Amino acid sequence: MTLLKPRVLRFESLPSTNTELARLASEGAEEGLSIVADEQTAGRGRLQRTWSSPKGAGLYFSILLRPTIPQDQWPLITFAAALAVADALHEASDIQADIKWPNDLLSGERKICGVLAETIETPAGRAVIVGIGINLTQNAFPAELSNVATSVAAATGRPPEREVILAALLRALTRWYSLLHEPAGPEKIVAAWTNRSSYASDKLVQVNNGNEVWQGLTSGLEPDGALRLKTPTGEVKLVRAGDVCSVRSAD
Ligand code: BTN
């Protein structure tokens, strides 16, 4: 059984917890090494976006993983991470988060957390850095985020308890990552994700993969986590990268 043993390093300020952890991984850091920063000055999001990371307004966290599952199953690591964040938000703050494909956590249809998983080459082999940004408060949120993002404080009406959320997150990551390494674990992760996400099936969405834009109804996940999308012509597209957003139907 794969047992993850997280060990947390804390920083006041970093450009990006993912970048700093990649540096430590290239120097031989062990699986489970984690970084938390109070602020990031160059926080990064998916699809080359920036991740606004003002001091004290978020949990900015990264963990180093050295998975032993076949590499074609590595995309499921981000699904396991999203499930772990959903568990942690529920356990620590009583928030029932939705998951938007592949790994955005939503509360009241607004984004409360994002996950950025990056594969890196290290002298000890290929590894993955999973970066997690949970919005704790909306203090210092840029104006353009106010309609699309929310925070633990806004969802609960209480001051967020960063350390309680972090402790719950470490426990949940350990559970889901162990499950991923068990026989039938990948199938269980896909099933759990499907169960927790309103985006898994019969959701009218628009997908932008950087080259093309498709609209259609979601129709479950492939075993590797690709999203099935049924287009109006009846064709089923497999989405492995890109941005998904919900579309309100006309009726
Ligand atoms: C997304 O675009 O939704 C993913 C955002 C991931 C942000 C986190 S914050 C901690 C870690 N360090 C980074 O630079 N990014 C990730």
Side-chain angles (χ1 to χ4, degrees), residues 16-18 40 42-46 51 60-62 104 111 114-116 131-133:
S16 153
T17 54
N18 268 33
Q40 299 183 115
R44 295 184 286 110
R46 287 177 66 234
W51 185 258
Y60 313 121
F61 168 88
S62 300
D104 281 354
K111 185 155 164 173
V115 178
L116 172 67
I132 294 175

Side-chain angles (χ1 to χ4, degrees), residues 56-60 112 134-138 141 150-154 158-162 165:
L59 173 58
Y60 313 121
I112 195 165
I134 299 179
N135 301 329
L136 295 178
T137 73
Q138 267 143 284
F141 257 21
T150 188
S151 65
V152 173
R158 292 191 305 273
E161 296 180 289
R162 185 178 83 156
I165 297 171

Side-chain angles (χ1 to χ4, degrees), residues 14-20 35-37 40-53 58-63 103-105 111 113-118 129-134 243:
L14 281 175
S16 153
T17 54
N18 268 33
T19 308
E20 178 61 12
I35 292 189
V36 173
Q40 299 183 115
T41 53
R44 295 184 286 110
R46 287 177 66 234
L47 311 171
Q48 323 298 332
R49 296 183 181 130
T50 58
W51 185 258
S52 167
S53 313
L59 173 58
Y60 313 121
F61 168 88
S62 300
I63 187 164
N103 50 27
D104 281 354
L105 279 290
K111 185 155 164 173
C113 170
V115 178
L116 172 67
E118 298 179 299
I129 297 203
V130 177
I132 294 175
I134 299 179
D243 231 7

Side-chain angles (χ1 to χ4, degrees), residues 85-248:
V85 177
D87 276 1
L89 289 175
H90 185 243
E91 184 188 323
S93 308
D94 213 12
I95 293 170
Q96 202 73 51
D98 192 8
I99 313 177
K100 178 164 82 77
W101 191 93
N103 50 27
D104 281 354
L105 279 290
L106 309 181
S107 169
E109 299 187 18
R110 293 177 182 207
K111 185 155 164 173
I112 195 165
C113 170
V115 178
L116 172 67
E118 298 179 299
T119 302
I120 54 166
E121 302 298 335
T122 78
R126 195 164 279 182
V128 179
I129 297 203
V130 177
I132 294 175
I134 299 179
N135 301 329
L136 295 178
T137 73
Q138 267 143 284
N139 301 347
F141 257 21
E144 69 270 17
L145 290 186
S146 56
N147 285 333
V148 290
T150 188
S151 65
V152 173
T156 61
R158 292 191 305 273
E161 296 180 289
R162 185 178 83 156
E163 292 307 310
V164 177
I165 297 171
L166 174 62
L169 179 61
L170 295 174
R171 285 193 297 273
L173 280 169
T174 304
R175 274 197 311 274
W176 286 106
Y177 187 64
S178 298
L179 177 62
L180 185 60
H181 285 77
E182 282 175 17
E187 292 90 320
K188 287 181 186 164
I189 298 231
V190 168
W193 190 99
T194 304
N195 223 3
R196 299 263 191 106
S197 170
S198 78
Y199 282 74
S201 50
D202 294 328
K203 183 97 154 183
L204 185 59
V205 296
Q206 180 165 299
V207 177
N208 185 340
N209 69 9
N211 297 316
E212 289 173 284
V213 177
W214 301 318
Q215 248 195 36
L217 277 187
T218 60
S219 174
L221 297 185
E222 290 285 294
D224 67 354
L227 179 67
R228 290 192 208 111
L229 184 73
K230 227 183 259 167
T231 67
T233 61
E235 189 188 355
V236 176
K237 307 259 189 199
L238 298 184
V239 183
R240 291 205 157 80
D243 231 7
V244 170
C245 64
S246 154
V247 176
R248 294 196 191 285

